[in-house]
């Protein structure tokens, strides 16, 4: 039994400090010694009554003053074990740039649903829905980690519903837009004779991802049966500025891709070029052994970086646009744009979406449909015109029907 400064009994777990404040202490079900101080004795009694009731009912949490940043580091140690290098870099970038500046130094127990709603409302002014979903996913996992450790009672992110922006059904996804046939011809006339011409032509005629082509070796190619085996990808490690060979993007990315005549021609020319590069005095001899057999390489027999290829395409676009009227300017170019162009040409030649999805190595047909929704709309419009033509007969015309009735 505790006493006040005058020696009077205050009750169990209660006492008065030398500075005049009353305090309550008790050990909760987690073995933590918690306390509360106040100049008003009734406030202290009310606090310990509530805390003991919560403890008895099992609805209290561990006392924890750690910030969100501290919990992020704990979560990171567990979550990043099975993640690919690309996913790890993406998560770290999202946390560092979008989450930490606003929430990193706030105690995790003080983060409320209201605070998060305000946070996400602000983020929507700057970022796309896909980025918002990434932010929410990371926050949800951090908060759940804290909840599982009994340091918060509930996960405020879990029940948080964020409204997505309304999509303009008529809007075209510029990122997945193909270059026109005219632009395609002008581009490859410009690139003719370029050191990376074979590589660009192979991208255009196969629709493969950057890393899938950059990781190819002669052993992955079967020119006799006109097929290329995709079983790895060249990847970039941002943390130490190095490249390495890793698995392709998804399980669906492991595939055999048929080759047309142009793709085979590009490969045959590149195989001859590779032999010359290996004999060149400029070839780096002491490079990583896993990279020496790469088919598409630089002048020095080194892996070709995505940025290098995109730089060549960017310059090509600028040079071509200098010779055009502004209204005829070519859209921005990248290796990935060539992939979209391949898919578009495929679709224009009445190849079904499921087949295109297999070629591209998408995890599901839904992914292909979402990216190329503008192609589906164009296809439906064309079918509607054909349908109108099929029933373009006087028998069905309103005016003729009314004339017969009258």
């Amino acid at each position: 039994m505790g006493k006040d400064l005058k020696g009077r009994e205050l009750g169990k777990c209660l006492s008065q400090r030398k500075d005049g404040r009353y305090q309550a202490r008790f050990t909760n079900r987690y073995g933590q010694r918690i306390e509360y101080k106040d100049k008003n004795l009734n406030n202290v009694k009310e606090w310990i009554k509530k805390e003991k009731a919560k403890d008895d009912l099992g609805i209290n949490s561990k006392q924890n003053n750690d910030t969100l940043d501290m919990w992020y580091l704990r979560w990171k140690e567990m979550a990043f074990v099975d993640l690919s290098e690309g996913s790890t870099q993406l998560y770290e970038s999202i946390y560092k740039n979008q989450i930490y500046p606003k929430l990193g130094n706030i105690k995790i127990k003080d983060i409320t649903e209201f605070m998060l709603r305000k946070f996400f409302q602000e983020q929507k002014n700057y970022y796309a829905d896909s980025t918002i979903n990434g932010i929410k996913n990371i926050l949800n996992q951090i908060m759940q980690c804290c909840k599982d450790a009994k340091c918060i009672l509930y996960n405020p992110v879990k029940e948080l519903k964020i409204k997505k922006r309304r999509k303009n059904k008529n809007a075209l996804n510029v990122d997945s837009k193909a270059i026109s046939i005219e632009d395609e011809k002008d581009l490859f006339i410009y690139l003719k004779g370029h050191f990376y011409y074979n590589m660009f032509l192979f991208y255009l005629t196969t629709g493969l991802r950057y890393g899938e082509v950059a990781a190819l070796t002669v052993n992955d190619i079967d020119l006799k049966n006109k097929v290329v085996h995709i079983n790895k990808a060249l990847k970039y490690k941002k943390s130490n500025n190095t490249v390495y060979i890793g698995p392709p993007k998804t399980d669906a990315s492991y595939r055999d891709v048929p080759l047309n005549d142009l793709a085979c021609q590009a490969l045959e020319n590149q195989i001859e070029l590779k032999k010359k590069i290996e004999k060149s005095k400029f070839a780096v001899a002491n490079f990583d052994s896993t990279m020496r057999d790469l088919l598409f390489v630089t002048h020095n027999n080194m892996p070709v970086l995505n940025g290098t290829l995109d730089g060549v395409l960017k310059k090509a676009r600028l040079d071509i646009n200098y010779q055009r009227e502004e209204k005829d300017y070519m859209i921005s170019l990248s290796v990935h744009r060539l992939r979209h162009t391949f898919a578009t040409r495929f679709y224009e030649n009445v190849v079904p979406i499921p087949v295109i999805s297999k070629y591209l190595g998408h995890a599901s047909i839904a992914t292909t449909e979402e990216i190329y929704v503008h192609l589906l709309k164009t296809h439906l419009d064309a079918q509607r015109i054909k349908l109108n033509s099929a029933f373009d007969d006087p028998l069905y015309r309103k005016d003729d029907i009314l004339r017969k009735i009258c």
Side-chain angles (χ1 to χ4, degrees):
M1 299 289 284
K3 298 180 180 181
D4 64 10
L5 295 177
K6 295 180 179 180
R8 293 174 294 192
E9 295 289 343
L10 293 175
K12 191 176 180 180
C13 301
L14 298 171
S15 62
Q16 188 176 22
R17 295 164 56 88
K18 289 182 180 180
D19 62 6
R21 289 184 298 167
Y22 296 95
Q23 73 175 11
R25 286 181 180 177
F26 85 103
T27 303
N28 64 18
R29 63 196 177 105
Y30 300 110
Q32 293 178 313
R33 186 79 167 164
I34 59 174
E35 61 179 38
Y36 176 73
K37 305 180 188 71
D38 198 295
K39 289 184 178 180
N40 188 308
L41 179 60
N42 289 331
N43 290 345
V44 176
K45 287 182 176 180
E46 187 65 24
W47 176 84
I48 196 168
K49 180 181 176 181
K50 287 181 179 179
E51 289 301 318
K52 281 191 171 184
K54 288 179 185 178
D55 199 60
D56 292 339
L57 293 170
I59 57 172
N60 59 338
S61 59
K62 290 180 181 179
Q63 294 294 300
N64 188 283
N65 291 316
D66 293 345
T67 62
L68 179 74
D69 191 50
M70 295 170 74
W71 276 100
Y72 165 72
L73 295 174
R74 290 174 189 142
W75 166 76
K76 177 180 170 182
E77 287 181 2
M78 297 181 290
F80 283 18
V81 173
D82 299 322
L83 285 181
S84 66
E85 184 69 26
S87 297
T88 299
Q89 291 176 8
L90 177 63
Y91 279 22
E92 287 183 329
S93 175
I94 290 176
Y95 178 78
K96 179 182 177 181
N97 296 309
Q98 280 86 47
I99 299 175
Y100 177 76
K102 294 286 185 180
L103 303 173
N105 292 319
I106 298 176
K107 291 179 181 178
I108 204 157
K109 67 179 182 180
D110 295 333
I111 296 176
T112 63
E113 195 171 324
F114 176 79
M115 183 188 295
L116 291 172
R117 285 188 186 281
K118 185 180 178 182
F119 166 75
F120 279 110
Q121 198 60 43
E122 291 174 354
Q123 298 299 305
K124 285 176 76 174
N125 294 328
Y126 304 101
Y127 302 106
D129 286 341
S130 57
T131 305
I132 298 295
N133 288 338
I135 296 170
K136 184 183 176 185
N137 177 40
I138 293 171
L139 276 174
N140 179 54
Q141 292 189 56
I142 296 171
M143 299 300 284
Q144 190 62 40
C145 178
C146 188
K147 180 181 179 294
D148 292 343
K150 311 293 184 185
C151 291
I152 53 175
L153 290 175
Y154 81 108
N155 179 353
V157 183
K158 205 162 191 177
E159 301 302 320
L160 198 64
K161 293 182 179 179
I162 303 170
K163 288 185 179 179
K164 292 185 177 180
R165 298 176 182 86
R166 287 186 177 182
K167 290 185 178 179
N168 182 353
K169 293 181 180 179
N170 297 317
L172 179 65
N173 184 351
V174 177
D175 289 336
S176 62
K177 186 179 179 183
I179 58 177
S180 68
I181 293 176
E182 181 187 349
D183 286 348
E184 180 189 314
K185 288 179 179 177
D186 285 349
L187 173 63
F188 278 85
I189 289 171
Y190 176 92
L191 292 172
K192 192 71 174 177
H194 194 282
F195 185 79
Y196 295 123
Y197 178 83
N198 298 326
M199 198 172 189
F200 287 127
L201 184 60
F202 194 69
Y203 278 119
L204 179 71
T205 53
T206 60
L208 296 177
R209 298 182 179 93
Y210 153 73
E212 294 171 345
V213 173
L216 286 178
T217 65
V218 175
N219 292 332
D220 300 318
I221 299 160
D222 183 353
L223 286 173
K224 182 180 179 181
N225 295 306
K226 293 187 175 182
V227 68
V228 61
H229 309 296
I230 304 301
N231 49 43
K232 55 187 176 298
L234 186 72
K235 301 189 175 185
Y236 174 68
K237 195 169 186 177
K238 195 174 181 180
S239 57
N240 58 2
N241 197 32
T242 58
V243 291
Y244 65 99
I245 301 293
K249 189 173 183 180
T250 66
D251 289 342
S253 300
Y254 289 91
R255 63 200 189 281
D256 289 346
V257 177
L259 302 173
N260 63 18
D261 291 342
L262 276 176
C264 289
Q265 178 189 316
L267 287 175
E268 288 170 353
N269 292 338
Q270 185 61 30
I271 290 170
E272 290 303 312
L273 180 60
K274 169 72 174 179
K275 291 176 182 176
K276 293 178 181 178
I277 294 170
E278 288 178 330
K279 295 176 182 177
S280 168
K281 64 179 181 180
F282 300 107
V284 176
N286 59 347
F287 193 62
D288 186 344
S289 59
T290 61
M291 306 283 185
R292 287 177 193 164
D293 295 330
L294 295 181
L295 178 60
F296 293 99
V297 290
T298 67
H299 296 79
N300 301 325
N301 203 29
M302 303 277 280
V304 185
L305 299 181
N306 194 14
T308 301
L309 298 174
D310 284 350
V312 172
L313 292 175
K314 183 179 179 181
K315 184 178 185 303
R317 173 180 175 260
L318 288 173
D319 289 346
I320 292 169
N321 284 346
Y322 283 144
Q323 304 171 47
R324 293 183 174 189
E325 296 290 333
E326 189 173 348
K327 62 183 178 64
D328 298 322
Y329 277 0
M330 188 183 290
I331 61 173
S332 61
L333 294 177
S334 65
V335 169
H336 210 67
R337 179 82 71 192
L338 297 180
R339 175 174 163 85
H340 291 313
T341 301
F342 165 84
T344 301
R345 298 288 176 269
F346 229 28
Y347 192 82
E348 288 169 350
N349 284 279
V350 203
V351 177
I353 284 286
V355 176
I356 297 174
S357 184
K358 288 283 187 183
Y359 264 82
L360 296 177
H362 284 158
S364 70
I365 296 174
T367 304
T368 315
E369 290 176 336
E370 185 178 346
I371 295 172
Y372 300 105
V373 64
H374 60 284
L375 297 180
L376 293 172
K377 182 182 182 301
T378 304
H379 177 71
L380 290 174
D381 289 343
Q383 296 306 311
R384 193 178 297 111
I385 292 170
K386 289 182 181 179
L387 190 62
N388 287 335
S389 300
F391 290 94
D392 186 19
D393 190 287
L395 178 65
Y396 305 110
R397 291 177 187 162
K398 180 181 176 182
D399 292 343
D400 291 331
I401 293 172
L402 290 176
R403 195 177 296 115
K404 288 178 182 180
I405 293 174
C406 296

